[in-house]
Amino acid sequence: MSNLWLVARREIAIRARTRSFVVGLLVTAVMVAGVSFLPRLFGGPDSFTVGLVGSAALEPAVKTLAQDVTVTFRRFPDEAAARAAVTEGDVDAAVVDNRSLLADGEVQQSLGALLKSGHQVVQTEERLRAAGLDPAKVAEATRVPPLQEVSVSAASGDAGVRAGVATVVVLALFFLLMSSVMQVAMGVVEEKGSRIVELLLTSIRPWQLLGGKIVGLGVLGLVNLVVVIVAGLGSALAAGLVADLPPGMAGIVAGAVVWFLLGYAFFAAMAGSLGALVSRQEEVSSVLTPMMTLMMAAYFVAFFAVAQPTATLARVLSLIPPFSSMVMPVRMAATEVPLWEVALAAVLMVLAVVGVLLLGARIYRRAVLRTGARVGLGEVLRNG
Amino acid sequence: MLEAQGLRKRYGAKDALRDVSLSLRQGEMFGFVGANGAGKTTTMRIIMGVLEADEGEVRWQGRPLSFDDRRGFGYMPEERGLYQKMKVGEQIDYFGRLHGLTPAASAAATGELIERLGIAERRNDRVEALSLGNQQRVQLAVALVHRPTVLILDEPFSGLDPIAVDALAEVLAERRSAGVPVIFSSHQLELVERMCDSVGIISAGRMVAAGPVEEVRAREGRRTLKVVVRDAVPGWADGLPGTLTTEGDRQTLTVTEGDDQSVLGAAVRAGRVEHFGWEQPTLTEIFREAVA
Ligand SMILES: Nc1ncnc2c1ncn2[C@@H]1O[C@H](COP(=O)(O)OP(=O)(O)OP(=O)(O)O)[C@@H](O)[C@H]1O
Ligand SMILES: [Mg+2]
């Protein structure tokens, strides 16, 4: 076992100090943070400046109504001055004498709605008061509580946010899996191609060498995943999105980590043993093609599951290894999944991982010392 | 005691090893020579467990060689292999650890070896930045770092400059006197002759001669009688066995069998005898004869 750790430690030490690893981490963090800020960019601005000419009654009314946005008011002496400010872009819109709304072209939708409701409230109050009603009663009567949103579906009413989180999960899992697994294969070929494996295998067992590589690169992949999670949650917090995150966020994160590890173990063992069949880096991608196809298929199903987490295809494939490693975490993010389904998927996946590890170690052991031409998979499995 | 008995290995229709046996006592240095493709590397790889023999067995201290025994061996494969991107010192240290040394012991051994093999100032360079000969020294350090119980070195001297050859010869001699059996293959036969206690000559997968250098010499090589005569009368050697070569006013008669005294008599009568004597064959001569 200690040899496995030595191998893993070397992998970590060697790669963690390469520039590409550090740059890769930074780029991922920035990208994930960017994704978290996107809804805000598309959601439009959240602060406005509005010019006022004449009555100032609109100001308190709008301020009470504005919940998600802040509106600042600026007073202008006459319509001409307000017009000029709107044209210059100093203010987003201007209200003149509670009569007209000036805008450069069309007024921004949410601001328009806000100003119109404010205007409605002010005018109603004023007219009711003019009709002789008690101002206090008028004020109370106009203070209508807003409509409360209640979801009647099983999903807790935040389907949009959940779908967003699920998308991030799919992307992160897929790209991290892909790059970590690729590195396992390339590392195996590097050792085989440079013949150092002949020397290594006189002092350690093949499973220790392959296992150490998988563990070491897995730790780095996990570091990457943690960076994604921290960057994602951190920036969501900073962007003010966090109040919107679905309640089971901790569970979703834990699920993503566990499923990442299972998926990684499965595909890394596969990539390591397939990599052992060839001796040159140029051959890596062709020998990995079947596995990559499998990963892509899982990825597409996972993407489909983001949109339709309760469809039969998504449900079935979220139980079947290795698809489950990508589809199940997505379903868990996108919707509520019965516990027994999660447990069944996990058990099946763990069994599959054990099987692939055993088989992979066997292929690796038989193929890795046979340098030169590509070794046939059937041949390796048949012999002995 | 390290023994290989009756090793056979086939590659398809080709017999790489037909029947190879060898044995080494503690502290014995064994030179393994043979033409290209004769089977040296194949034999060494089988001993190291990198390759499986079709038949035959390798034994160590009287019992079949196990993986744990081999872990204590030092091996230099024919196809050199190092992590190109790893630093020299780190790499040697890493192999020390893989062979089971403690961190402290491995660091100490690394420091000592790079000093002795003359690569101390390259310690923090990546292997890929080193010349081929210096990479070879790193490869040797990797094979030696854990104070191996047996050394199996496939052409360790190839590519080394004379200084490095001496440094390596010194390290090997020291390991030998510590009781470590050493096998190395080489095409530099003078070196083998100078350094080894015993030799094995392999030809087309068969060990054609093996044993202590002196014995092999006495057994395999024929002694030759060499007579050099100056200003000899023409035709003096007619009727004598052997071959005559002429170089200026000197004539050399080389005889492999016959009565040395009658040859000497004829030579004295013919002219001025500058040299007369039986000569031991060199390993090169034995080798040529054995593999012919
Ligand atoms: N992987 C292989 N496949 C087929 N034949 C092989 C293989 N490896 C070695 N051989 C054959 O086995 C024989 C012995 O080769 P080996 O490498 O042991 O020779 P060697 O004595 O080390 O030669 P050299 O001095 O050139 O290093 C050769 O005829 C070689 O062609
Ligand atoms: Mg060889």
Side-chain angles (χ1 to χ4, degrees):
Chain A
M1 215 52 191
S2 74
N3 279 331
L4 192 148
W5 290 121
L6 280 173
V7 174
R9 260 194 21 210
R10 194 197 80 91
E11 293 294 335
I12 295 170
I14 293 293
R15 284 182 214 251
R17 71 178 177 216
T18 60
R19 190 168 304 147
S20 60
F21 178 77
V22 178
V23 170
L25 268 192
L26 288 176
V27 169
T28 332
V30 168
M31 265 169 51
V32 172
V35 169
S36 307
F37 274 99
L38 272 188
R40 275 172 70 84
L41 297 183
F42 290 127
D46 57 1
S47 73
F48 300 99
T49 314
V50 174
L52 266 186
V53 179
S55 160
L58 194 58
E59 186 169 340
V62 167
K63 286 203 163 147
T64 333
L65 286 169
Q67 285 179 331
D68 300 336
V69 297
T70 48
V71 184
T72 329
F73 286 90
R74 265 175 69 189
R75 310 200 55 101
F76 291 96
D78 52 21
E79 185 170 339
R83 240 173 225 283
V86 171
T87 319
E88 291 289 310
D90 290 347
V91 293
D92 298 296
V95 179
V96 181
D97 294 329
N98 281 333
R99 188 167 32 79
S100 50
L101 175 59
L102 309 181
D104 193 2
E106 207 166 303
V107 70
Q108 209 272 341
Q109 202 183 357
S110 60
L111 179 62
L114 199 57
L115 292 175
K116 283 172 193 161
S117 341
H119 175 71
Q120 197 83 37
V121 170
V122 170
Q123 289 302 307
T124 314
E125 271 187 39
E126 227 155 69
R127 286 176 192 198
L128 290 175
R129 240 178 271 134
L133 286 169
D134 180 352
K137 288 214 168 129
V138 170
E140 206 193 307
T142 51
R143 210 168 290 132
V144 182
L147 281 180
Q148 193 103 42
E149 278 185 47
V150 178
S151 165
V152 293
S153 80
S156 47
D158 38 22
V161 180
R162 291 190 81 131
V165 173
T167 310
V168 173
V169 169
V170 182
L171 286 172
L173 284 185
F174 179 70
F175 284 107
L176 279 178
L177 268 185
M178 197 74 141
S179 69
S180 307
V181 157
M182 198 68 195
Q183 286 194 24
V184 171
M186 278 164 41
V188 166
V189 176
E190 181 199 344
E191 283 170 352
K192 184 176 178 183
S194 73
R195 315 297 174 105
I196 197 170
V197 69
E198 181 168 338
L199 196 53
L200 289 166
L201 290 186
T202 61
S203 51
I204 58 176
R205 302 278 191 187
W207 66 266
Q208 294 173 325
L209 185 54
L210 180 60
K213 188 172 290 296
I214 292 177
V215 169
L217 291 170
V219 167
L220 294 179
L222 198 59
V223 167
N224 236 314
L225 183 63
V226 168
V227 165
V228 168
I229 291 169
V230 169
L233 287 184
S235 53
L237 205 70
L241 272 179
V242 85
D244 299 322
L245 289 179
M249 200 59 209
I252 292 173
V253 167
V257 170
V258 170
W259 284 107
F260 169 76
L261 290 179
L262 286 173
Y264 170 76
F266 183 94
F267 287 111
M270 220 166 163
S273 52
L274 290 176
L277 299 176
V278 300
S279 305
R280 294 181 307 132
Q281 296 291 352
E282 302 87 75
E283 295 172 303
V284 173
S285 65
S286 78
V287 79
L288 288 188
T289 305
M291 190 199 77
M292 288 296 180
T293 314
L294 192 62
M295 285 181 85
M296 291 299 281
Y299 173 65
F300 286 127
V301 177
F303 236 113
F304 165 79
V306 171
Q308 311 236 343
T310 49
T312 314
L313 178 68
R315 284 193 61 182
V316 170
L317 287 185
S318 73
L319 299 179
I320 296 176
F323 300 98
S324 52
S325 64
M326 266 188 262
V327 181
M328 187 48 97
V330 167
R331 276 190 70 211
M332 284 167 71
T335 183
E336 299 297 326
V337 182
L339 201 60
W340 71 266
E341 285 188 22
V342 179
L344 178 62
V347 169
L348 290 179
M349 186 67 194
V350 168
L351 289 179
V353 165
V354 171
V356 166
L357 280 175
L358 290 177
L359 190 67
R362 188 180 153 116
I363 296 172
Y364 179 82
R365 176 162 49 80
R366 293 190 177 165
V368 78
L369 285 172
R370 295 177 49 183
T371 42
R374 180 168 162 175
V375 183
L377 189 56
E379 190 187 341
V380 173
L381 290 175
R382 225 172 312 125
N383 292 342
Chain B
M1 174 118 144
L2 180 73
E3 294 170 279
Q5 287 162 353
L7 300 182
R8 279 170 198 279
K9 179 77 192 173
R10 287 180 79 87
Y11 285 110
K14 186 177 167 49
D15 283 306
L17 298 185
R18 289 161 207 265
D19 178 15
V20 172
S21 300
L22 55 86
S23 95
L24 270 88
R25 283 170 287 106
Q26 297 300 103
E28 181 172 342
M29 196 175 301
F30 180 87
F32 203 8
V33 301
N36 294 130
K40 302 179 293 294
T41 298
T42 307
T43 306
M44 291 172 137
R45 295 181 80 197
I46 289 173
I47 295 177
M48 282 316 294
V50 176
L51 205 62
E52 258 178 64
D54 297 333
E55 272 176 54
E57 193 187 27
V58 184
R59 299 173 73 81
W60 168 238
Q61 313 293 37
R63 55 193 159 70
L65 186 56
S66 73
F67 179 81
D68 285 328
D69 296 330
R70 286 195 179 100
R71 241 187 122 195
F73 289 14
Y75 178 46
M76 182 161 174
E78 172 175 62
E79 302 256 18
R80 315 299 190 215
L82 293 170
Y83 287 111
Q84 293 290 316
K85 308 247 174 250
M86 221 172 161
K87 291 178 184 164
V88 169
E90 276 179 354
Q91 179 133 232
I92 301 170
D93 184 52
Y94 178 59
F95 276 94
R97 299 294 314 280
L98 284 185
H99 280 286
L101 295 189
T102 63
S106 182
T110 302
E112 190 203 316
L113 266 176
I114 58 176
E115 209 56 68
R116 290 199 62 173
L117 292 173
I119 39 177
E121 66 274 25
R122 312 306 302 266
R123 182 174 196 143
N124 290 316
D125 291 343
R126 287 168 166 213
V127 169
E128 63 187 353
L130 266 54
S131 72
L132 216 58
N134 279 334
Q135 292 193 17
Q136 168 106 338
R137 298 184 199 208
V138 179
Q139 194 84 53
L140 283 166
V142 160
L144 292 164
V145 62
H146 54 294
R147 301 228 139 216
T149 49
V150 174
L151 278 169
I152 312 280
L153 310 171
D154 204 345
E155 300 191 23
F157 290 99
S158 77
L160 293 183
D161 67 28
I163 310 289
V165 167
D166 289 346
L168 175 59
E170 194 182 303
V171 175
L172 294 189
E174 179 204 285
R175 300 280 75 224
R176 176 207 358 216
S177 51
V180 172
V182 181
I183 301 185
F184 72 87
S185 66
S186 179
H187 293 296
Q188 289 154 272
L189 300 180
E190 319 79 72
L191 199 72
V192 173
E193 202 163 13
R194 179 151 57 88
M195 289 182 58
C196 293
D197 307 304
S198 54
V199 290
I201 303 178
I202 187 170
S203 176
R206 249 186 254 283
M207 202 65 113
V208 291
V213 177
E214 286 311 316
E215 267 179 35
V216 168
R217 235 190 212 142
R219 195 169 56 224
E220 301 296 327
R222 278 170 291 174
R223 294 189 308 162
T224 49
L225 180 65
K226 193 171 156 200
V227 192
V228 181
V229 189
R230 199 162 182 175
D231 301 323
V233 294
W236 69 277
D238 296 349
L240 289 176
T243 50
L244 189 69
T245 55
T246 306
E247 199 181 307
D249 53 3
R250 273 197 190 83
Q251 292 198 310
T252 305
L253 181 68
T254 319
V255 184
T256 49
E257 53 201 28
D259 176 18
D260 50 6
Q261 294 308 310
S262 60
V263 171
L264 179 60
V268 170
R269 282 192 297 279
R272 183 182 156 73
V273 177
E274 284 195 337
H275 176 93
F276 174 84
W278 283 99
E279 296 195 344
Q280 288 284 4
T282 62
L283 193 53
T284 311
E285 286 161 341
I286 297 175
F287 177 79
R288 288 222 169 87
E289 211 165 293
V291 305

